[in-house]
Amino acid sequence: MTPAIRRRPFLPLFVVPAALVAIAITAGLAAILRFSLHAYVPGSLDVGGFTLDNFADLARPIVLRAMRDTVLICFETALATLILGYPVAYALVRTRSALLKSVILVTAVTPLFLGEVVRTYAWTVVLGNSGFINATLRQFGLIDRPIQFMFTEFGVVVALVHVTLPVMVIMLAAALAHIDRDYEKAAQSLGAGPVRAFLTVTLPLSMPGVVAGFTTAFAWTFSAFATPQVIGGGKVGVVSTLVYQLGLSSFNFPVAASLSLAGLGLALGTMWAVRRAARPLEAMGGH
Amino acid sequence: MSSRAADVIPAADRRSPDRPTPDLATSDLPAARTARRGAAAVLLDGVLKRFGTVTALEETRLRVEQGEFLTLLGPSGCGKTTLLNLMAGFLEADAGEILIGGEQVTATPPYERQIGIVFQNYALFPHMSVARNVGYGLRMRGVPKREIAARVEETLALVKLQGFADRSPRQLSGGQQQRVALARALVIRPRVLLLDEPFSALDKNLRGAMQVELKEIQRRLGVTTVFVTHDQGEALSLSDRIVVMSAGRIRQVGTPDEVYRHPQDRFVAGFIGDVNTLPARLETLSGVRATVALGDLRREVEAAALRDRPPGSPVDVFVRPDHLGVRPAGEGGTLPARVAALVYQGSHIDLHADLATGERVVVRVPGQGALATHAPGTAIGLAVPQGGLVAFPPE
Ligand SMILES: Nc1ncnc2c1ncn2[C@@H]1O[C@H](COP(=O)(O)OP(=O)(O)OP(=O)(O)O)[C@@H](O)[C@H]1O
Ligand SMILES: [Mg+2]
């Protein structure tokens, strides 16, 4: 043992589980990598010889469309979550009313503990053709045929926003809580109305939280499976559902493996690009 | 004579007549243009503020004169910040009216009050350069770009920060940040400048230097200033007038000399400067003077606070440590006492002595001689001055 570790006897308690997780993930990735580099043998779960064909297979239109749609859905979801989550986080941090604080916490943050699957099935009840929204609209005579939410990209995004909202609110609230209220007071004393004080001071200072929240929501959505699977119902193809179809419906593990790796690369690549594009924004709020 | 001086002494009258007219561009201060002749810079009329069941500020009347440097002084929690926030418009009064330059602002939001504020933690916008910080108030007012640049430069020169325009606030020392905060508040030519304990984060030397500088700038611009502190030394050295507060109430308003030498009640007497309390007995009351007996000594004190006390009733006499003297034991006109401890303070010695009646007093003895001549246990005679004493009924 190194002296550093001996001086912190609790350190192994933290390091050992982390190392086990890292080993498990690496092993998983290695297995996926192995599958992706070997030929598909129809009718068998075993693989053939070494090949790069699986990656060449990904150039098919259905795969490319899924990748494009995935990135689009992630953007739309992250953006919508940000726009919805910001006012909620702001109210959570700034309100003096303990009641409002608890209401926000319960409605916006506790769904985090419900899990994606439960929340997704809840949305099928709301979005379905005879679900809550359509039933209500019909009751008031606003529509005579149900509006199609299920199996549409819009429906998927709505449900994904709900799934990512708690994390967004927590991250934005953490950023906003760090902003001294005196900044806004100073801005107001200098002649800025509440809206201008917010736009010129609070918003720029919260940019690190905005960028962090956006990228987290983006990554979260990218890996979402249950929501696009259930709400999209096979009509909305994203990378995760396509991997599932290839792997567990067609048992084509090698192509599924190469698609997962490509998806991972795509996710990391877009997030790197997002962070890079947001760097000037983030710098605004550096404390 | 001490007085509720709030309404009595216009600041301008106390200034030397040869005071230079304000230079810079401040002669066209909007305040000077719009204020009604004779109107107070700030007038609080019956203002009261409660937080739930706590009364942070009891019904208060306070007049701040044009161009004066007024300090709110009092212990923590006495309502200084509350009073300041009411003037700034960050708090709404539960009762009463607030006028700035004669104009009713009770319901005016902060951003329309044209008040400059320096916060305790400076609150400089971390995402803006020094110049953009200082220019912020002008941009919000839609001042043309070229004029903004000129006024920012002028104001940075005023606070001696030329050449710092493009720095980030993070790259500045505490004192420099303080100056930026001051410049940012002054550049809008505020009708009133409010400062809430602006120096409490600075170390002692820097604080002294900044105090001098603030006072100089304030005098030069003639800007009405309301300054909050709980440091009585700071209040005494900076202010034209001091408002002494405690528990949400104004206890006394007066010049530093008035509150120091003629405190109106026990609280003010005890809060401003170090003070000894000597038990005494009221002998006679005649007009504005009263005679009290301190052991075998007779001394004259101001009568105001003792007016309805019968002769013979106990009173407490307040006397400053530097007004007491040490004499040989048994000398006529002194109180018998015994040295208890000597505390070296550099330029002087604090001699702690026990009176024959049991009270502990502190005498400030200049120089270091007492260390050698008055070892603990030495019997001494305590000389009590003839004038400058104040007395109040016991608590
Ligand atoms: N927002 C608030 N809610 C409830 N009570 C408050 C609030 N602000 C101030 N108070 C109370 O009002 C009283 C006066 O507070 P204030 O901040 O004005 O004191 P202060 O003189 O500025 O003290 P300090 O020197 O510690 O800054 C205190 O008892 C305080 O607890
Ligand atoms: Mg305060």
Side-chain angles (χ1 to χ4, degrees):
Chain A
M1 262 196 194
T2 68
I5 288 181
R6 233 180 293 123
R7 261 187 281 117
R8 301 188 183 89
F10 52 85
L11 204 56
L13 287 179
F14 296 122
V15 169
V16 169
L20 288 177
V21 171
I23 289 169
I25 288 178
T26 312
L29 275 175
I32 291 175
L33 185 65
R34 195 181 75 88
F35 270 115
S36 72
L37 292 174
H38 289 83
Y40 171 50
V41 182
S44 159
L45 287 182
D46 277 332
V47 291
F50 177 85
T51 176
L52 287 174
D53 287 354
N54 298 325
F55 287 97
D57 251 16
L58 298 182
R60 282 182 294 168
I62 182 175
V63 177
L64 295 180
R65 209 178 316 121
M67 287 185 165
R68 187 201 62 195
D69 288 351
T70 307
V71 172
L72 272 178
I73 286 175
C74 289
F75 256 112
E76 289 163 9
T77 305
L79 196 63
T81 313
L82 178 63
I83 290 167
L84 281 176
Y86 201 107
V88 176
Y90 190 84
L92 178 64
V93 171
R94 289 296 157 93
T95 184
R96 290 224 185 87
S97 145
L99 178 70
L100 183 57
K101 235 177 203 145
S102 348
V103 168
I104 293 175
L105 273 174
V106 169
T107 54
V109 179
T110 48
L112 186 61
F113 306 112
L114 278 179
E116 192 190 342
V117 177
V118 174
R119 277 185 283 173
T120 298
Y121 275 102
W123 275 105
T124 65
V125 176
V126 177
L127 296 176
N129 279 355
S130 45
F132 174 75
I133 296 178
N134 277 316
T136 311
L137 289 177
R138 216 177 324 196
Q139 186 119 43
F140 287 102
L142 293 171
I143 52 169
D144 34 52
R145 259 183 305 133
I147 303 173
Q148 186 67 36
F149 293 116
M150 288 298 287
F151 317 129
T152 65
E153 191 179 305
F154 177 77
V156 171
V157 170
V158 166
L160 282 174
V161 165
H162 185 233
V163 171
T164 43
L165 194 62
V167 180
M168 179 68 86
V169 168
I170 288 170
M171 298 191 79
L172 289 176
L176 285 167
H178 275 119
I179 302 174
D180 195 327
R181 292 176 105 123
D182 279 354
Y183 289 136
E184 258 170 67
K185 282 170 103 183
Q188 292 205 14
S189 76
L190 292 165
V195 175
R196 281 221 282 177
F198 172 78
L199 290 177
T200 54
V201 175
T202 315
L203 183 61
L205 288 178
S206 68
M207 271 308 158
V210 168
V211 173
F214 186 90
T215 31
T216 307
F218 191 92
W220 196 285
T221 315
F222 213 108
S223 63
F225 169 71
T227 311
Q229 177 75 9
V230 172
I231 310 265
K235 299 251 169 48
V236 182
V238 293
V239 171
S240 59
T241 56
L242 198 55
V243 169
Y244 173 79
Q245 277 167 30
L246 287 169
L248 296 180
S249 305
S250 336
F251 292 104
N252 188 342
F253 281 10
V255 174
S258 62
L259 179 56
S260 343
L261 289 178
L264 188 62
L266 183 64
L268 293 177
T270 15
M271 274 166 55
W272 176 81
V274 166
R275 282 213 94 103
R276 219 192 134 83
R279 210 172 284 166
L281 290 179
E282 243 178 322
M284 273 205 278
H287 287 282
Chain B
M1 189 71 233
S2 120
S3 61
R4 287 256 168 218
D7 300 332
V8 182
I9 309 161
D13 293 354
R14 293 195 318 279
R15 284 241 165 69
S16 53
D18 57 354
R19 186 170 78 94
T21 43
D23 47 358
L24 282 152
T26 47
S27 39
D28 67 341
L29 245 145
R33 273 190 271 117
T34 56
R36 287 213 303 273
R37 192 176 287 277
V42 184
L43 181 66
L44 303 187
D45 198 356
V47 169
L48 179 143
K49 180 68 197 174
R50 283 195 201 95
F51 294 108
T53 54
V54 181
T55 305
L57 190 69
E58 287 180 28
E59 194 175 310
T60 294
R61 182 180 160 81
L62 177 67
R63 205 182 139 98
V64 186
E65 302 298 342
Q66 294 289 348
E68 82 171 319
F69 193 118
L70 184 88
T71 297
L72 307 179
L73 173 67
S76 185
C78 71
K80 307 181 295 288
T81 300
T82 302
L83 189 48
L84 212 63
N85 279 333
L86 285 162
M87 290 184 189
F90 294 127
L91 288 178
E92 243 176 82
D94 293 319
E97 294 189 334
I98 302 172
L99 284 83
I100 295 179
E103 180 199 327
Q104 177 66 252
V105 298
T106 316
T108 307
Y111 48 91
E112 284 167 7
R113 288 198 184 187
Q114 193 155 0
I115 278 185
I117 305 180
V118 175
F119 292 85
Q120 181 172 355
N121 55 3
Y122 320 133
L124 296 178
F125 306 132
H127 58 305
M128 297 181 196
S129 67
V130 166
R132 286 188 65 77
N133 261 284
V134 176
Y136 184 88
L138 301 177
R139 290 200 297 283
M140 291 304 121
R141 286 172 166 70
V143 174
K145 262 199 171 132
R146 194 167 313 160
E147 192 188 334
I148 292 180
R151 278 168 68 175
V152 167
E153 201 182 307
E154 176 187 68
T155 314
L156 282 178
L158 177 73
V159 297
K160 303 194 182 124
L161 278 182
Q162 300 102 316
F164 286 82
D166 297 325
R167 294 255 197 121
S168 146
R170 271 162 292 182
Q171 299 170 303
L172 301 179
S173 71
Q176 290 165 339
Q177 292 183 26
Q178 179 82 75
R179 290 157 201 261
V180 177
L182 187 58
R184 185 176 69 175
L186 286 172
V187 78
I188 61 168
R189 293 168 190 165
R191 298 193 285 188
V192 185
L193 178 65
L194 306 179
L195 305 100
D196 194 351
E197 312 216 14
F199 303 138
S200 58
L202 303 179
D203 68 56
K204 201 163 171 252
N205 288 335
L206 193 52
R207 194 184 307 175
M210 286 302 300
Q211 285 169 0
V212 172
E213 207 158 309
L214 171 67
K215 185 69 197 185
E216 227 176 85
I217 290 170
Q218 191 269 339
R219 199 168 284 154
R220 228 161 112 193
L221 300 182
V223 58
T224 308
T225 301
V226 179
F227 182 93
V228 164
T229 184
H230 58 251
D231 176 340
Q232 34 110 352
E234 195 165 85
L236 289 173
S237 60
L238 288 175
S239 320
D240 292 324
R241 286 192 304 153
I242 297 176
V243 177
V244 186
M245 300 177 64
S246 93
R249 256 180 4 99
I250 293 184
R251 308 302 286 251
Q252 185 171 1
V253 183
T255 63
D257 194 54
E258 277 168 350
V259 294
Y260 185 77
R261 291 203 303 153
H262 305 288
Q264 218 158 36
D265 62 22
R266 290 184 71 96
F267 174 81
V268 178
F271 192 72
I272 314 251
D274 298 327
V275 79
N276 294 299
T277 315
L278 304 176
R281 203 157 287 283
L282 180 62
E283 295 224 309
T284 59
L285 265 168
S286 62
V288 297
R289 309 301 293 171
T291 312
V292 296
L294 267 165
D296 298 335
L297 308 181
R298 299 278 172 287
R299 290 291 183 267
E300 279 212 328
V301 297
E302 289 170 11
L306 304 173
R307 202 149 282 146
D308 38 352
R309 297 276 149 171
S313 60
V315 297
D316 284 339
V317 171
F318 284 70
V319 55
R320 309 261 175 218
D322 47 340
H323 289 165
L324 290 170
V326 178
R327 298 277 180 280
E331 189 176 301
T334 65
L335 296 173
R338 195 167 288 281
V339 177
L342 295 159
V343 181
Y344 178 71
Q345 300 278 17
S347 63
H348 63 266
I349 306 282
D350 278 341
L351 185 150
H352 295 243
D354 290 325
L355 292 179
T357 46
E359 277 76 24
R360 169 69 58 93
V361 294
V362 180
V363 188
R364 196 148 292 164
V365 189
Q368 282 79 42
L371 277 181
T373 55
H374 292 81
T378 313
I380 55 167
L382 198 64
V384 181
Q386 294 287 348
L389 298 176
V390 288
F392 299 102
E395 278 170 306

